[in-house]
Amino acid sequence: MPNSPSPTGRTDAVALTDRTDDRPVYVIGGGPGGLATAAALRARGVRAVVLEKADRIGASWRGHYDRLHLHTTRRWSALPGLRMPRKFGRWVGRDDLVRYLEKYTEHHELEVVTGVEVTRIDPHPDGSGDWQLTATGGRVLRGRAVVVATGFNHTPRIPEWPGRDTFTGELLHAAEYRNPAPYADKDVLVVGIGNTGAEIAADLTEGGAARVRIAVRTAPHIVRRSTAGWPAQATGILVRRLPVRVVDKAGSLLARVAVPDLSAQGLPRPEKGLYSRVREGAIPVQDVGLIDAVKNGRVVPVATVASLDKDAVVLADGTRFTPDAVIAATGYSRALEPLLGHLDVLDGRGRPVVHGARTPKQAPGLYFTGFTNPISGMLRELALDAEKIAKRVARAH
């Protein structure tokens, strides 16, 4: 195949403008969702070109912290057309996942162009129903369809706390955290108790931090990653179609059996049900050490951050202290507005109004994948979406 990628998933960007005469499907983003969709399209005889702004595929995964392992099982994390090796273990580590993505690209002979960032998507001006992409280097590309797969965790977000601009202490987003070595014997505040914040807090205590606090705005639901060999993901797959009230009730009963009451340590059980929170976008925290760390006082839950004052942090309850470092595990924005905010395909929170094989009524041929965080596992849903999108595109063209 001409211009097939190297084992690292790279193709010469110069060749991009030479191979657009057959109006390929452009897939924006070289992460798991984009690669899976491209492979599913190729399997149906549809040419797909993956455009990745970084110099390598899987860029966001490469940048995650060292101890990261998937919270979903190896079996349910594989992408269409290639199993993950058993040697990766049940819970696949960051580096193994990156190796898998590289092998996946090579195995499916995907056409990936790195170092190209798409900055705007428009309907083609000739009214044909094609799409026009404006990209770096002055490129203007034409495709029969576009799949946006730029990712759920795209742009790190740190709240605009009062005093942030003049804060003299160390402040970083969780995206910059790699391992606990720089924080040995230090006092660290982790802000945010989602899966990332919870795991970083546990990592810090195990890595020798002198004191670890975790700022909590809303107490999360905490579940065991696996109970008697049964993964939490399996439960998520089974219950996601059930009524919310039923799952809320079952989740409450299970939590009382499997998770100790940490109210005395400052982490009460949530008032709102587990699945009710999921529907609002709050995925349960899968325990990889947080429960024991809180129970034993090695991680101390505190109130949410109200402001920053010179080198000090002020909490919502008035507590004031001076940590050596503040790590903000405060999430990401999708950052889709510059790309396609003018197409009226985003909701009030900047998320696509549709995903998977559905396209916006006003933008047929425009697809989105990877912008939800389902209880059944993101990689599993990316794989399912890839097949659905490819089937829809192949049928339409």
Side-chain angles (χ1 to χ4, degrees):
M1 177 179 176
N3 275 341
S4 59
S6 70
T8 58
R10 299 183 64 180
T11 293
D12 185 0
V14 176
L16 180 63
T17 53
D18 298 330
R19 303 197 63 217
T20 56
D21 54 343
D22 59 340
R23 299 161 47 247
V25 174
Y26 282 108
V27 181
I28 305 174
L35 298 177
T37 304
L41 286 164
R42 192 177 190 282
R44 287 169 172 79
V46 178
R47 182 183 172 214
V49 177
V50 179
L51 304 177
E52 168 55 50
K53 70 175 182 178
D55 62 350
R56 295 178 294 177
I57 60 168
S60 62
W61 287 95
R62 295 175 192 272
H64 283 309
Y65 48 92
D66 294 347
R67 73 172 271 168
L68 176 70
H69 282 72
L70 298 180
H71 292 165
T72 54
T73 65
R74 180 187 72 251
R75 173 189 172 190
W76 285 324
S77 299
L79 303 179
L82 185 66
R83 293 183 178 182
M84 289 188 175
R86 290 179 62 87
K87 66 181 180 181
F88 285 1
R90 193 180 200 191
W91 312 106
V92 179
R94 178 200 63 187
D95 292 346
D96 282 335
L97 179 62
V98 170
R99 280 190 281 271
Y100 171 75
L101 295 178
E102 292 175 345
K103 179 64 177 178
Y104 190 84
T105 300
E106 180 182 9
H107 176 79
H108 289 291
E109 298 183 312
L110 301 183
E111 190 174 348
V112 179
V113 185
T114 57
V116 174
E117 181 177 7
V118 178
T119 56
R120 185 179 172 97
I121 301 173
D122 291 287
H124 198 277
D126 68 2
S128 62
D130 285 354
W131 289 91
Q132 179 171 287
L133 284 63
T134 304
T136 51
R139 298 179 180 87
V140 178
L141 310 173
R142 179 174 184 158
R144 67 172 82 175
V146 177
V147 182
V148 181
T150 49
F152 190 82
N153 295 337
H154 187 274
T155 302
R157 182 182 66 238
I158 298 179
E160 292 293 339
W161 293 305
R164 175 184 156 185
D165 291 344
T166 56
F167 182 61
T168 59
E170 181 181 356
L171 172 63
L172 66 152
H173 191 273
E176 302 174 75
Y177 176 85
R178 293 295 174 267
N179 59 63
Y183 307 98
D185 300 320
K186 291 187 176 182
D187 183 340
V188 186
L189 171 67
V190 179
V191 184
I193 195 168
N195 276 294
T196 297
E199 187 157 0
I200 288 176
D203 196 33
L204 287 165
T205 63
E206 295 169 14
R211 185 171 190 177
V212 179
R213 301 177 179 92
I214 188 164
V216 181
R217 181 176 60 182
T218 305
H221 285 274
I222 304 176
V223 299
R224 302 287 187 181
R225 186 168 66 175
S226 179
T227 304
W230 180 264
Q233 183 188 9
T235 302
I237 293 171
L238 290 174
V239 306
R240 68 173 309 199
R241 304 295 183 187
L242 295 177
V244 172
R245 58 182 176 79
V246 172
V247 182
D248 281 351
K249 182 66 174 179
S252 177
L253 294 174
L254 181 61
R256 294 182 183 281
V257 172
V259 179
D261 186 355
L262 300 173
S263 299
Q265 288 78 25
L267 199 59
R269 297 190 188 278
E271 296 180 2
K272 188 171 289 189
L274 184 150
Y275 206 27
S276 293
R277 293 292 310 282
V278 169
R279 297 294 286 270
E280 295 173 353
I283 296 297
V285 171
Q286 294 203 27
D287 178 52
V288 289
L290 180 70
I291 291 176
D292 286 344
V294 171
K295 188 176 180 180
N296 297 327
R298 292 182 287 115
V299 172
V300 178
V302 297
T304 191
V305 173
S307 63
L308 304 175
D309 184 10
K310 297 181 180 178
D311 62 346
V313 175
V314 182
L315 303 181
D317 61 4
T319 302
R320 180 189 179 97
F321 60 96
T322 307
D324 294 310
V326 178
I327 301 175
T330 46
Y332 297 76
S333 66
R334 311 294 87 81
L336 291 171
E337 289 83 359
L339 186 66
L340 37 72
H342 55 288
L343 297 177
D344 193 27
V345 295
L346 305 177
D347 65 16
R349 297 172 62 182
R351 303 170 303 181
V353 294
V354 297
H355 69 277
R358 299 169 58 202
T359 63
K361 291 181 179 179
Q362 69 276 28
L366 181 62
Y367 300 87
F368 298 91
T369 184
F371 295 97
T372 61
N373 195 9
I375 194 173
S376 51
M378 180 175 286
L379 289 174
R380 176 181 181 271
E381 296 303 319
L382 287 176
L384 294 174
D385 277 352
E387 297 286 6
K388 293 174 183 176
I389 292 171
K391 183 177 180 180
R392 176 77 178 271
V393 171
R395 186 171 63 237
H397 297 278

